[in-house]
């Protein structure tokens, strides 16, 4: 809402802008964005002959601060195959669920670093399926894990360590894994001219100097950042409400965000300022 209002306000004004303003409304960030921003940039822009952006302002909730550091992530599915047996005589079987959970503990042990802005690595067992009934040793299990890590690590290095960790975790079960999403961390230098300009715009509207922050993911920013285009999060709302019941944002914050976006768009495009 804030971005649409800012976009239309600037578009309907008589200001002479030294550049182009593109508003992208995409809707699949929660499934990695491949059909949204992953298509818009660069394929969709190039198909229409639209210019390559020089900066990406993403409106994710961060209490109208500036988020410049973003965790990388690996989404991995671990499958375990064991041997069925009676639950009253489990030594005759191989428990696939226990094998997968042991692999999960090994993965958790890998998430052991910390970054000054994004904080500690994280591990989440998001889904698990396996077993048929309580008195049968399960011969199959599949679980999906969400691993997040700071800018001091890279997905490829962590993947190599995951191979070793899961190989050592079998507990008799046959384990395999598939990484179905991987992203390296993203970090933007806070002292670039564009971000300093953005800090001024936020301070003018809110009356306070915004914090420089880190967060759990780059979101749709990953598609521009991976092409060398700098970008940050600035948005209304509290990240504490991510993925909880009754997500919400104050209307006053929406209004403030819109005013910040308008100031920043006009200042950035009137000066022709760029970090390139």
């Amino acid at each position: 809402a804030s971005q649409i209002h800012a976009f239309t306000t600037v578009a309907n004004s008589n200001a002479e802008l030294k550049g182009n303003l593109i508003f992208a409304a995409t809707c699949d960030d929660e499934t990695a964005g491949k059909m949204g921003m992953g298509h818009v940039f660069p394929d969709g822009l190039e198909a229409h002959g639209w210019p390559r952006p020089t900066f990406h302002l993403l409106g994710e909730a961060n209490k109208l601060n500036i988020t410049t550091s973003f965790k990388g992530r690996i989404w991995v599915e671990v499958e375990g195959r064991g041997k069925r047996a009676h639950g009253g005589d489990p030594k005759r079987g191989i428990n696939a669920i226990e094998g997968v959970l042991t692999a999960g503990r090994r993965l958790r042990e890998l998430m052991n670093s910390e970054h000054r802005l994004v904080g500690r690595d994280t591990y989440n067992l998001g889904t698990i399926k396996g077993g048929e009934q309580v008195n049968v040793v399960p011969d199959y299990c599949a679980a999906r894990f969400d691993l997040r890590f700071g800018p001091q690590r890279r997905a490829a290095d962590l993947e190599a360590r995951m191979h070793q960790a899961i190989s050592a975790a079998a507990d008799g079960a046959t384990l395999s894994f598939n990484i179905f999403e991987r992203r390296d961390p993203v970090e933007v230098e806070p002292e670039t001219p564009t971000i300093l300009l953005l800090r001024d715009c936020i301070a003018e509207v809110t009356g306070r100097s915004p914090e420089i922050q880190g967060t759990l993911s780059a979101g749709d920013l990953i598609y521009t950042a991976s092409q060398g285009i700098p970008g940050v999060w600035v948005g209304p709302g509290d990240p504490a409400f991510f993925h909880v019941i009754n997500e919400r944002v104050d209307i006053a914050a929406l209004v403030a965000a819109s005013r910040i976006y308008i100031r920043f768009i006009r200042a950035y495009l009137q000066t022709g300022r760029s970090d390139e």
Side-chain angles (χ1 to χ4, degrees), residues 36-74:
M37 186 59 71
H39 171 72
V40 170
F41 183 85
D43 297 342
L45 300 186
E46 292 178 351
H48 291 280
W50 289 1
R52 174 185 170 90
T54 58
F55 191 75
H56 184 179
L57 181 59
L58 189 61
E60 291 277 8
N62 68 354
K63 294 185 177 181
L64 297 176
N65 290 297
I66 302 177
T67 306
T68 61
S69 293
F70 308 90
K71 282 183 174 178
R73 73 185 183 204
I74 289 179

Side-chain angles (χ1 to χ4, degrees), residues 121-141:
D121 296 347
T122 59
Y123 155 100
N124 181 58
L125 170 54
T127 67
I128 187 167
K129 58 183 179 180
E132 297 178 12
Q133 57 192 55
V134 67
N135 63 341
V136 176
V137 175
D139 62 353
Y140 177 79
C141 180

Side-chain angles (χ1 to χ4, degrees), residues 173-276:
T174 300
L175 297 178
S176 62
F177 75 96
N178 172 52
I179 294 175
F180 58 97
E181 167 69 7
R182 58 170 62 78
R183 291 181 177 182
D184 278 329
V186 173
E187 192 163 33
V188 179
E189 171 54 52
E191 297 302 315
T192 61
T194 299
I195 296 178
L196 293 176
L197 174 63
L198 186 52
R199 292 172 73 171
D200 290 342
C201 293
I202 296 172
E204 289 167 3
V205 171
T206 65
R208 61 170 179 83
S209 180
E211 297 178 9
I212 300 298
Q213 299 180 337
T215 194
L216 49 83
S217 173
D220 277 342
L221 205 68
I222 193 68
Y223 292 100
T224 45
S226 63
Q227 297 291 320
I229 295 171
V232 297
W233 287 12
V234 175
D238 188 339
F241 292 117
F242 286 164
H243 289 194
V244 300
I245 295 172
N246 194 23
E247 290 188 3
R248 59 190 183 273
V249 58
D250 292 336
I251 292 177
L254 291 176
V255 174
S258 183
R259 294 174 61 199
I260 290 167
Y261 297 151
I262 291 169
R263 283 174 180 263
F264 175 70
I265 291 166
R266 287 174 170 166
Y268 184 83
L269 293 180
Q270 285 177 354
T271 61
R273 186 188 298 268
S274 169
D275 289 332
E276 296 185 345

Side-chain angles (χ1 to χ4, degrees), residues 14 16-17 19 23 26 29 109-110 122 133 150 176 186 225:
N14 294 321
E16 294 184 7
L17 304 179
F23 171 67
T26 58
D29 167 68
E109 291 169 359
L110 295 179
T122 59
Q133 57 192 55
S176 62
V186 173

